[in-house]
Amino acid sequence: MKVIKIKNVTLNKELKALYTLENFLARNEYIDSFVKIDLLSETVPQIITVEKNDLDRILAYIKTLSCQSQLIFHLLISTGIRTTELTRITKDNVDLLNNQIYLEQTKSKKPRFIFITDNHIKDLIIQNMERNKKNNFLLFSSKDGSQYTANAVREILKKIKRKLEIKKLSPHKLRHTYATHLMEEGADLESVRLLLGHSTYEMTKRYVHLSTKHIKEINNRYYVLKNSETY
């Protein structure tokens, strides 16, 4: 029999929903009382980013790949988009005039915009639209015109990882890299939350300690009395 492992964070979401239901039933006197539900302990997921020198190597290497593979990588690192969201981008929702892409289908079920940050990405979008004529609806597609899958996106990065012998590379690590860079550059928490498409602040707050670490390093590097002869 196959054993299915479910993370505590997933189970806790179900427990919270059950608690909310019990609370509602008790308030409206459908039940006399309800059992207190204790949440399971959760392990804070480790945030792993892609090294700057590895990003430089990847950017040099992907110039040899198809425009679709290049575009996929550039959108992942420059917008933090999730793989499933990326594969569902429609051509009609690409707004080159205003340098933005409207995401209708997102993990949070709340539509949002991602933004085209430079002309190179815009050129890749135009090239990919020209190449992808077998699918008039989606921005990305396989050679036969079928929808590009999240696994296909991950496979592109796996091939790059093997080719360049990079230890840390995946769609989610690129998303972490994007978010961490925003925080290190001083972006406010609300803007980061909206750009990442988080439904609550809890997910976004995971990046705050990384920002604090960066600020601490800057403080120590430029400590006002660092070179004082008094010390």
Side-chain angles (χ1 to χ4, degrees), residues 188-201 204:
D188 62 275
L189 199 63
E190 171 65 359
S191 295
V192 176
R193 184 185 73 81
L194 292 173
L195 287 167
L196 291 174
H198 288 159
S199 55
T200 67
Y201 283 107
T204 317

Side-chain angles (χ1 to χ4, degrees), residues 25 27 114 116 131-132 181 191 195 221:
L25 294 174
R27 285 200 316 271
I114 58 172
I116 301 167
R131 180 204 68 86
N132 182 16
H181 179 74
S191 295
L195 287 167
R221 187 186 309 167

Side-chain angles (χ1 to χ4, degrees), residues 59-92:
L59 290 172
Y61 171 70
I62 62 173
K63 292 177 182 178
T64 64
L65 304 181
S66 68
C67 67
Q68 177 159 275
S69 295
Q70 292 183 57
L71 178 57
I72 285 171
F73 181 82
H74 277 284
L75 287 180
L76 287 171
I77 188 59
S78 67
T79 70
I81 190 173
R82 300 179 179 93
T83 51
T84 51
E85 295 170 343
L86 182 137
T87 58
R88 294 170 181 169
I89 294 175
T90 65
K91 291 180 178 179
D92 287 343

Side-chain angles (χ1 to χ4, degrees), residues 16 41 168 181 214:
K16 289 176 184 177
S41 60
K168 304 171 185 177
H181 179 74
H214 174 71

Side-chain angles (χ1 to χ4, degrees), residues 79-120:
T79 70
I81 190 173
R82 300 179 179 93
T83 51
T84 51
E85 295 170 343
L86 182 137
T87 58
R88 294 170 181 169
I89 294 175
T90 65
K91 291 180 178 179
D92 287 343
N93 285 338
V94 176
D95 183 356
L96 295 178
L97 184 63
N98 293 300
N99 295 327
Q100 60 191 26
I101 300 173
Y102 182 64
L103 302 181
E104 284 188 280
Q105 301 182 58
T106 67
K107 184 178 179 180
S108 66
K109 303 296 190 295
K110 296 179 180 178
R112 75 177 189 279
F113 285 98
I114 58 172
F115 303 96
I116 301 167
T117 49
D118 58 52
N119 288 330
H120 180 58

